[in-house]
Amino acid sequence: SHLQAAREVMDLTGVTQNITNIYPEFEAGAKELIATRPEMANDAKGVLAELKPEADKRADDMAKTAAAIFASNMSEADLKAVTAFFKS
């Protein structure tokens, strides 16, 4: 389908990876900040654990929205041509 073709283009071009990397990059940055404040480590781990499910949901929502944008701006044939190019 058209949305599946858009999703495949996103996967092949790195858009999906960029979206899924948002939370891990945030988490890494938070861990760097608390490296100098070990007394905050337990609280920070708790907060990060609480944020993860919502971050995962938001990442999924962003990926669906991005796929819809790709699909609305490119024909299915064009999406398949992009896919073929990236697979070649």
Side-chain angles (χ1 to χ4, degrees):
S1 85
H2 201 146
L3 275 177
Q4 287 174 326
R7 201 59 192 251
E8 188 168 12
V9 167
M10 289 175 49
D11 291 346
L12 290 169
T13 59
V15 173
T16 304
Q17 188 65 40
N18 287 336
I19 291 170
T20 57
N21 281 344
I22 292 171
Y23 181 80
E25 289 174 8
F26 167 76
E27 184 178 34
K31 287 179 179 178
E32 283 180 29
L33 287 174
I34 61 170
T36 59
R37 303 279 311 268
E39 71 276 8
M40 295 177 62
N42 286 336
D43 289 340
K45 286 179 186 175
V47 169
L48 290 170
E50 284 186 43
L51 290 175
K52 183 147 180 31
E54 182 65 21
D56 290 345
K57 181 183 176 301
R58 296 286 178 129
D60 188 51
D61 291 345
M62 284 189 284
K64 287 177 183 174
T65 300
I69 291 169
F70 271 82
S72 69
N73 287 289
M74 297 177 74
S75 69
E76 188 170 357
D78 287 342
L79 290 166
K80 288 182 178 183
V82 171
T83 296
F85 172 79
F86 275 93
K87 286 185 171 181
S88 64

